């Protein structure tokens, strides 16, 4: 009997694990593969809700935990975290004897995993390559991972074409759709009573983009005041651990928990989607507003330029600046629009996880696969 193919999935944040979970589930159902889960980054930090506990509570086995960040809000701490991540993930891949490594997106945890895999001569598969979104250093890291990856799972036709224009060989590129839509296809669960804010509410998710804490705090305060100015309560999620995050956390703590508002350090994916679907509007600069809001049938106000250039899921997404007045007006416009039914998305049909799992199961692990070259 053939040895099951060992496929390591690397996750570093609550949001990215929610996107990887459909892939992990689809791999688990295939007897010819053995999925392995390597958890790192924000998952291990109490400051951001220690979401590794949510992963285990959901029934997933954690095969390796690799500490990277310490929780410091300092750009100089990021290279040190990256070095710890590369070394720790490389050791985990060696111990687990992984054949294929899967990373998603553009965070430093994915980059650490990509470096450990590619330099360790393991097959690297990358989800969400070919996207555009400047973020902080997101575009640079995403494109660097593209150069390291042997297999690309593009989430849109536009992303696949961009990969080809970057010089990636066409036979390495698979257009599968965004795995973030997979859970959206499932029947919606009701929002648990202890999570749901009172009355009409906005879901607020704002991430730092590498600026100083004072600037990040000012933008977050403008968002929260704009939500209240539109007579909405709010469900606030903590930001990512990127530089500048202490400013956003400071603004959240200063806001407190007014009556009708809730604050969460982290949430399991199912709870987040239930909250989002039940909300009046999504507000902030999270990619979920750009990618998943249309499938949820919820308007989204995209604040600032963190997602500039990223393909929008539909006309329900409204861009605005970072001032109070700009955000207030954008939320007002969103609330005046008729509530849309979920629409067919440019990001696929919600079956990405199965497509990715099937491709990884059948992939021919040959020397040619590991030998990267530009197509031009």
């Amino acid at each position: 009997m053939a040895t099951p193919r060992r496929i390591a999935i690397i996750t570093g944040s609550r949001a990215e694990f929610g996107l990887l979970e459909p892939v992990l589930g689809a791999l688990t159902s295939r007897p010819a593969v053995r999925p392995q889960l390597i958890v790192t980054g924000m998952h291990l930090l109490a400051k951001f809700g220690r979401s590794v506990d949510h992963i285990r509570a959901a029934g997933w086995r954690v095969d390796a935990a690799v500490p990277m960040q310490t929780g410091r809000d300092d750009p100089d701490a990021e290279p040190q975290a990256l070095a710890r991540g590369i070394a720790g993930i490389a050791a985990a891949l060696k111990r687990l004897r992984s054949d294929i490594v899967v990373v998603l997106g553009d965070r430093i945890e994915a980059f650490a995993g990509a470096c450990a895999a590619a330099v360790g001569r393991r097959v690297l598969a990358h989800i969400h390559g070919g996207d555009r979104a400047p973020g902080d250093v997101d575009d640079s890291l995403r494109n660097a991972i593209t150069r390291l990856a042997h297999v690309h799972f593009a989430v849109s036709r536009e992303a696949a074409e961009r990969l080809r224009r970057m010089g990636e060989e066409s036979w390495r590129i698979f257009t599968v759709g965004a795995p973030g839509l997979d859970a959206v296809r499932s029947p919606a669960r009701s929002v648990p009573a202890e999570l749901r804010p009172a009355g009409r509410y906005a879901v607020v998710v704002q991430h730092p983009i590498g600026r100083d804490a004072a600037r990040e705090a000012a933008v977050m305060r403008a968002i929260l005041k704009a939500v209240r100015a539109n007579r909405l309560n709010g469900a606030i999620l903590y930001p990512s651990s990127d530089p500048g995050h202490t400013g956003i956390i400071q603004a959240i703590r200063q806001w407190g928990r007014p009556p009708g508002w809730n604050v969460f350090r982290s949430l399991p994916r199912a709870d987040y989607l239930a909250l989002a679907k039940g909300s009046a509007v999504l507000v902030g600069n999270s990619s979920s507003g750009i990618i998943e809001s249309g499938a949820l049938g919820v308007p989204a106000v995209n604040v600032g330029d963190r997602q500039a250039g990223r393909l929008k899921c539909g006309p329900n997404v409204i861009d605005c600046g970072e001032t109070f007045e700009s955000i207030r007006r954008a939320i007002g416009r969103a609330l005046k629009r008729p509530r849309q039914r979920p629409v067919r998305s440019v990001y696929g049909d919600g079956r990405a996880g199965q497509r990715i799992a099937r491709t990884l199961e059948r992939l021919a692990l040959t020397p040619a696969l590991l030998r990267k070259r530009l197509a031009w």
Side-chain angles (χ1 to χ4, degrees):
M1 185 175 179
T3 302
R5 177 170 289 182
R6 294 176 290 268
I7 302 176
I9 293 181
I10 297 173
T11 176
S13 74
R14 66 182 186 229
E16 161 234 56
F17 180 72
L19 309 184
L20 286 167
E21 200 167 13
V23 180
L24 184 59
L27 288 171
T28 301
S29 66
R30 294 175 178 269
V33 302
R34 180 180 298 163
Q36 303 164 326
L37 186 59
I38 298 177
V39 173
T40 185
M42 292 173 60
H43 288 304
L44 305 179
L45 298 177
K47 183 177 185 179
F48 297 97
R50 193 175 158 78
S51 45
V52 65
D53 297 331
H54 295 160
I55 292 172
R56 290 191 172 112
W60 298 112
R61 171 180 167 176
V62 175
D63 295 280
V66 177
M68 283 184 60
Q69 296 93 331
T70 63
R72 285 170 52 200
D73 187 1
D74 178 1
D76 292 332
E78 294 280 276
Q80 297 169 27
L82 179 62
R84 284 190 292 269
I86 294 173
I89 292 170
L93 295 175
K94 180 179 179 180
R95 175 175 61 81
L96 296 171
R97 294 184 295 131
S98 307
D99 301 304
I100 301 173
V101 179
V102 180
V103 298
L104 182 147
D106 48 40
R107 288 184 54 81
I108 68 165
E109 299 92 345
F111 185 57
C115 291
V119 178
R121 276 62 172 182
R122 288 178 168 82
V123 173
L124 174 64
H126 183 209
I127 305 170
H128 269 282
D131 287 5
R132 285 192 303 182
D136 180 4
V137 293
D138 299 9
D139 267 350
S140 297
L141 292 183
R142 187 187 312 107
N143 294 339
I145 296 171
T146 289
R147 286 304 188 211
L148 294 171
H150 307 99
V151 180
H152 309 283
F153 292 117
V155 302
S156 68
R157 288 193 294 270
E158 288 83 352
E161 177 59 23
R162 200 170 289 120
L163 289 169
R164 283 188 284 270
R165 293 189 178 195
M166 289 172 68
E168 294 298 311
E169 297 170 297
S170 293
W171 61 270
R172 298 180 183 273
I173 302 169
F174 300 85
T175 305
V176 296
L181 298 189
D182 288 26
V184 177
R185 284 186 64 247
S186 304
R189 59 178 289 186
S190 59
V191 182
E194 67 273 15
L195 302 182
R196 185 184 181 95
R200 294 182 82 201
Y201 66 92
V203 170
V204 179
V205 189
Q206 177 73 5
H207 298 299
I209 57 173
R211 300 175 296 199
D212 64 81
R215 177 59 182 153
E216 299 290 2
V219 175
M220 187 61 175
R221 285 193 294 269
I223 291 172
L224 297 174
K225 291 176 182 177
V227 169
R228 173 174 277 173
N230 279 279
R231 299 184 179 182
L232 296 173
N233 292 324
I236 309 170
L237 272 73
Y238 262 44
S240 72
S241 60
D242 294 341
H245 70 261
T246 55
I248 296 175
I249 293 174
Q250 178 189 46
I252 293 171
R253 288 175 175 168
Q254 289 173 344
W255 189 255
R257 291 177 183 258
W261 288 68
N262 285 331
V263 177
F264 306 99
R265 290 176 185 263
S266 182
L267 280 175
R269 176 72 169 171
D271 288 339
Y272 173 74
L273 289 177
L275 266 179
K277 191 171 181 63
S279 71
V281 61
L282 307 182
V283 184
N285 62 10
S286 168
S287 62
S288 63
I290 301 292
I291 296 173
E292 290 133 72
S293 60
L296 288 167
V298 178
V301 171
N302 176 49
V303 179
D305 61 3
R306 181 173 184 260
Q307 303 294 341
R310 177 162 266 168
L311 184 66
K312 295 183 178 67
C313 60
N316 61 302
V317 181
I318 298 172
D319 294 325
C320 71
E322 295 182 325
T323 65
F324 163 76
E325 192 58 32
S326 178
I327 301 165
R328 184 192 66 79
R329 287 197 302 265
I331 295 173
R333 286 172 53 201
L335 295 177
K336 289 177 182 177
R337 292 183 176 182
R339 184 74 175 226
Q340 292 183 331
R341 298 181 63 182
V343 297
R344 180 173 177 81
S345 176
V346 294
Y347 286 103
D349 59 4
R351 294 179 174 85
Q354 289 294 339
R355 294 189 182 101
I356 293 170
R358 182 169 60 249
T359 302
L360 293 174
E361 181 184 42
R362 299 175 179 177
L363 195 64
L365 305 185
T366 64
L369 184 63
L370 285 168
R371 194 175 300 121
K372 287 291 297 285
R373 66 178 184 179
L374 293 176
W376 45 265

